[in-house]
Amino acid sequence: MYANGNAIRIRVNRGLVAGIFVGLIIAASFAFLTAHQDRLTFSSLTPNTLGGNNPAASGRDPLLWPFSRDSIWNLPIGSNARYVWAGIHHATSMAYFTDADILVLEPSAPATTVYANYDDWGAGTRCSAQGGALFTAPIPADFVVPGSHQGSPDGDTPNAAAAILAADGHTIIQTQPFARCAGQSPTSHYMFGSEDLYGTGETGSHGGSGLSALGGTVRLGELVPGGTIRHSLKLNIDSANFYPGLGGYRWPAWKSDAGGAGYGGSIPEVRMGSLLAPKPDFPIDTLETEPGKIVAAAFRDYGGYIVDTSGWSIYNFVTERSPAGSVQDEFNKAWGYSLNAGVGANGWARDLDKIFTNLYVVDNWDKATWQTVSVSNGNVGVGLGTPRVGWAPEFGQVPPPPPPPPPPSPPPALTGTTITLTTSKSPSEINETVAVSGRLTDASGSPVAGRVVSLEWSADQITWYPEGQIGQFSAADTNGAFSDHMAFRGSGDHSEYIRARFVGDATFATSLSSVVTQAVVKLAVSAPPSPPTSPPPAAEPPATPDRSEPAPTTPKNLSPTMLLLALVSILLTAAAALLSHRVRMDRSSGRRSRRGRRTYASRRPLPFDDPEDDLEYPL
């Protein structure tokens, strides 16, 4: 999460004082253990007793333990590594939820074409081809990878980063998000640079970081009783832990999600590509489960790189899903409980919480330091100093890439197709629903039934996007027809553009309709009706006097005024009469002395209108 700038009030009470006292005791205990760590050993989990791949073996199987000895995925941490607290948040949604990398390392499998699909992490299924061929690679015919919202054990919208070994036995093709729904061609969308199985294998199709889909993946046979993980891990955790600044990433990552937008961490060292590990004295023997101890040992000796964003509050290290099976199924069978675990659900969940919340960043690890380590021939580890465990063994004799296969026979000629497309109304009003329909036919004009046509949209006829409301029409009917409904948005009068695309198949060639220009207009607002106009009054005919008389000079409309003046005159006359009568009365009663008038006035009650009034009246 973003750093919270609000001050937090802390209520001091006896519980806090007791907590501080207990913390001091724990700190003193750790100080004692650190000072006397030479007296304490964890012999049951030392690197030489964990089983699994034996680094002393002659040669190394690149399909099980890929990439060069100096690959970031194979280098152990050195004794001079500098640790910076990572502050990983406690997971609140799941203690672990799987994120599987799709690994297809069978170069002799049938050549299979992978087609473009643009559903990504939206509401679509990723199942059907929506664009042309992306690449062709060896993939077993029966290997199924459920798409989005298809009940995949990896979630509704899995990352599904894929690494597929080409027929030459060297080239690793990497793409995301890969799917192969039952009975359909495989699909994906984003392509990343290829790597050599025998090279450093740094980059690949984890979209958040641009790091490898093969390197760092927990493989089958590693997280089982007696197993060991002899390589670094890949972490897919909540972006609330990632620092948004500095581009949101650090080497070996070469990118981040939208430049770090949406990241909420406050520790600058924790970014996409950071290598996390517990300190060497992490008490592995206090963990409750054997798989927890296997994972902790891998973290301690090799660390784990942040490669992707989980999108919710979980812990995760990335595991294998391949034609040979999945680590998730293998784990469940081997240990009798699920790899996926709720927060605090069991000892496995508690172990993961303890491991992830005790991780630090190995901060003195960058490209220049890697170059120094790379030329040390096994004598230096990540962050410099003596490596915690030995480097990976050599491959032995690296086979040269096989000669290119003979060119394939030309495919049979495909039947050409044509698409017509129209809307039910143009111009249409903004947000008005219109029907979009069309027909798919072959070169002779006969209908092509049962095929799916997709709809594309553009605002300028330059950049085209999958149309969001229809996207794909239902399969064409027996007449080759297809239709659906949509509304054109925006404001003001404007034009938008749509076209239909058929990607083709083994029988029919791809085709693209003509562009349909849709005029979109504002809703017409009718003016309110004008009030009815009264007919003009009929003109009165001029009066014809019987005799010649002068015309009156006072207009008729002054009559009310004259009536008012007469009323005012009457009132003034009455007032004058009343005043005259009062004067006569005063004269008949005689004049009072000044003193008498004052005495009389002082005896009258004062006229206070409002007892609450704060004005003062003189007496």
Side-chain angles (χ1 to χ4, degrees):
M1 301 177 181
Y2 290 102
N4 188 349
N6 294 328
I8 302 175
R9 294 185 177 178
I10 303 175
R11 178 174 296 174
V12 179
N13 54 32
R14 287 175 293 178
L16 177 60
V17 174
I20 294 173
F21 180 70
V22 172
L24 290 174
I25 293 175
I26 294 173
S29 301
F30 275 114
F32 177 82
L33 291 173
T34 302
H36 299 86
Q37 58 182 318
D38 56 326
R39 302 181 185 178
L40 304 172
T41 60
F42 308 114
S43 58
S44 63
L45 285 168
T46 54
N48 293 329
T49 63
L50 279 173
N53 295 321
N54 183 358
S58 176
R60 173 163 52 101
D61 185 347
L63 299 180
L64 299 178
W65 198 347
F67 302 131
S68 60
R69 302 178 73 212
D70 63 347
S71 167
I72 61 168
W73 307 112
N74 290 328
L75 286 172
I77 296 174
S79 57
N80 292 339
R82 184 173 66 246
Y83 295 88
V84 174
W85 174 240
I88 302 301
H89 298 249
H90 287 279
T92 58
S93 298
M94 294 282 286
Y96 184 92
F97 191 85
T98 187
D99 182 26
D101 277 348
I102 313 303
L103 308 183
V104 185
L105 307 178
E106 301 189 12
S108 60
T112 305
T113 301
V114 178
Y115 292 91
N117 175 281
Y118 310 115
D119 289 339
D120 292 348
W121 288 265
T125 65
R126 302 179 184 170
C127 287
S128 58
Q130 299 172 352
L134 291 178
F135 61 93
T136 298
I139 303 174
D142 59 351
F143 182 47
V144 172
V145 178
S148 295
H149 314 288
Q150 298 291 297
S152 170
D154 301 329
D156 279 347
T157 54
N159 281 319
I164 304 172
L165 184 61
D168 63 11
H170 276 256
T171 305
I172 301 171
I173 303 166
Q174 300 189 76
T175 185
Q176 186 188 46
F178 183 88
R180 191 190 200 173
C181 301
Q184 301 192 51
S185 297
T187 64
S188 194
H189 186 182
Y190 303 100
M191 297 297 298
F192 295 78
S194 297
E195 290 277 2
D196 190 330
L197 182 67
Y198 297 88
T200 57
E202 191 174 291
T203 66
S205 56
H206 271 282
S209 61
L211 292 176
S212 175
L214 176 57
T217 303
V218 174
R219 305 293 300 277
L220 292 166
E222 292 181 335
L223 196 51
V224 295
T228 184
I229 300 171
R230 294 194 179 280
H231 56 77
S232 58
L233 304 172
K234 288 184 300 199
L235 308 182
N236 178 5
I237 55 179
D238 191 1
S239 60
N241 296 288
F242 307 157
Y243 185 69
L246 306 173
Y249 68 94
R250 61 186 293 172
W251 183 88
W254 57 269
K255 65 187 294 290
S256 65
D257 299 295
Y263 293 174
S266 60
I267 300 175
E269 292 78 9
V270 183
R271 306 198 296 278
M272 199 64 75
S274 294
L275 178 63
L276 306 185
K279 286 189 173 181
D281 59 355
F282 178 75
I284 294 178
D285 64 334
T286 64
L287 299 178
E288 301 178 48
T289 65
E290 186 177 351
K293 294 174 182 179
I294 294 172
V295 170
F299 264 117
R300 180 194 60 191
D301 295 340
Y302 295 92
Y305 291 95
I306 299 173
V307 299
D308 245 325
T309 301
S310 65
W312 56 321
S313 182
I314 63 168
Y315 304 132
N316 173 268
F317 51 85
V318 183
T319 59
E320 173 183 355
R321 180 174 297 280
S322 69
S326 73
V327 168
Q328 184 179 18
D329 293 340
E330 180 186 59
F331 184 99
N332 299 351
K333 183 177 180 180
W335 302 107
Y337 48 86
S338 176
L339 177 65
N340 291 344
V343 175
N346 52 22
W348 165 240
R350 291 188 292 271
D351 284 350
L352 289 173
D353 187 68
K354 189 171 184 179
I355 294 169
F356 275 84
T357 56
N358 279 280
L359 293 178
Y360 291 73
V361 178
V362 179
D363 196 37
N364 57 337
W365 187 228
D366 53 26
K367 184 66 175 288
T369 308
W370 173 81
Q371 291 171 336
T372 299
V373 172
S374 175
V375 299
S376 74
N377 195 29
N379 295 317
V380 180
V382 169
L384 305 179
T386 305
R388 289 193 53 80
V389 295
W391 281 28
E394 296 286 359
F395 287 120
Q397 184 66 36
V398 176
S409 301
L414 299 178
T415 303
T417 58
T418 302
I419 306 178
T420 59
L421 186 71
T422 187
T423 62
S424 61
K425 181 179 182 181
S426 182
S428 63
E429 294 177 351
I430 295 170
N431 295 329
E432 179 183 3
T433 299
V434 299
V436 181
S437 57
R439 189 166 181 259
L440 179 64
T441 58
D442 63 17
S444 67
S446 300
V448 176
R451 268 62 174 186
V452 174
V453 173
S454 59
L455 185 64
E456 298 176 353
W457 174 92
S458 176
D460 54 12
Q461 298 192 74
I462 298 174
T463 305
W464 291 86
Y465 305 91
E467 197 284 317
Q469 298 174 62
I470 295 176
Q472 281 186 305
F473 296 95
S474 298
D477 62 18
T478 55
N479 195 37
F482 53 87
S483 66
D484 209 330
H485 294 80
M486 65 174 290
F488 293 88
R489 315 295 187 189
S491 60
D493 295 351
H494 64 284
S495 293
E496 299 183 24
Y497 309 94
I498 55 174
R499 66 187 185 188
R501 181 186 296 274
F502 172 56
V503 299
D505 54 26
T507 304
F508 295 99
T510 184
S511 57
L512 190 67
S513 75
S514 299
V515 174
V516 173
T517 301
Q518 180 71 21
V520 188
V521 298
K522 293 186 296 185
L523 178 66
V525 180
S526 57
S530 301
T533 303
S534 301
E540 296 181 1
T544 303
D546 294 334
R547 59 183 184 277
S548 176
E549 294 181 0
T553 58
T554 302
K556 293 181 180 181
N557 60 358
L558 290 183
S559 297
T561 303
M562 297 186 68
L563 179 62
L564 178 62
L565 290 175
L567 180 61
V568 171
S569 298
I570 293 171
L571 292 174
L572 290 176
T573 302
L578 180 62
L579 181 61
S580 176
H581 175 72
R582 180 68 180 270
V583 170
R584 285 196 302 270
M585 292 289 293
D586 287 345
R587 288 177 178 175
S588 63
S589 60
R591 297 180 59 86
R592 294 187 181 93
S593 67
R594 185 177 184 88
R595 180 179 180 86
R597 287 197 302 271
R598 287 181 179 174
T599 302
Y600 176 78
S602 66
R603 292 175 182 171
R604 287 179 297 167
L606 293 176
F608 287 99
D609 296 329
D610 186 354
E612 299 297 325
D613 201 329
D614 59 355
L615 297 177
E616 296 182 1
Y617 291 82
L619 296 177

